[in-house]
Amino acid sequence: EVQLVESGGGLVQAGGSLRLSCTAFGLSFDGYSIGWFRQAPGKEREGVSAIVNDGSIFYKDSVKDRFVISADNAKNIVYLHMRNLKPEDTAVYYCATLTWIKNLAEYEYDYWGQGTQVTVSS
């Protein structure tokens, strides 16, 4: 059984930092593209960042100077390093394995995690 497990979320003050982890069980990230997405209450899901199997990386404009995506294929973990967090970053963050990606709004996935809550207080 394939599982993606996100962790590292929590409550942080504005300006703080968090590191989210996406760990795969039953599947190797090697060769996969991995995306991070988020969904705030009452809002649609949006793409935050993705690391593509060709080495390219995508960032949502509002996070590109604050978030960094990285992969440790040996550990089968993809990280999302988030700094200078803002209240508008509050959301449930999900990771997904992507079978195809053109940009953060056009992609196809096959596995999706259960999410981790990030709450940024002002």
Side-chain angles (χ1 to χ4, degrees):
E1 179 187 3
V2 174
Q3 273 191 309
L4 299 183
V5 179
E6 300 94 338
S7 60
L11 173 63
V12 63
Q13 289 188 331
S17 300
L18 286 173
R19 186 184 74 171
L20 305 184
S21 299
C22 172
T23 306
F25 299 93
L27 171 146
S28 170
F29 277 159
D30 191 21
Y32 259 106
S33 302
I34 308 297
W36 280 99
F37 303 84
R38 67 187 183 188
Q39 188 164 20
K43 295 187 176 181
E44 291 189 354
R45 182 179 68 201
E46 61 181 6
V48 177
S49 181
I51 185 164
V52 187
N53 56 9
D54 65 1
S56 56
I57 289 177
F58 294 94
Y59 289 106
K60 177 179 170 62
D61 283 348
S62 64
V63 310
K64 66 173 51 178
D65 295 326
R66 302 182 294 121
F67 292 9
V68 175
I69 191 170
S70 65
D72 185 336
N73 286 335
K75 294 183 178 179
N76 232 21
I77 300 176
V78 171
Y79 299 102
L80 185 67
H81 307 260
M82 309 186 296
R83 65 178 183 85
N84 192 20
L85 284 159
K86 303 177 180 182
E88 52 264 41
D89 294 318
T90 294
V92 178
Y93 284 70
Y94 302 89
C95 65
T97 52
L98 307 175
T99 56
W100 173 83
I101 178 168
K102 181 177 180 180
N103 52 56
L104 289 173
E106 299 175 85
Y107 57 87
E108 292 179 352
Y109 69 91
D110 52 2
Y111 298 105
W112 200 265
Q114 85 292 344
T116 185
Q117 176 72 48
V118 171
T119 303
V120 185
S121 63
S122 57

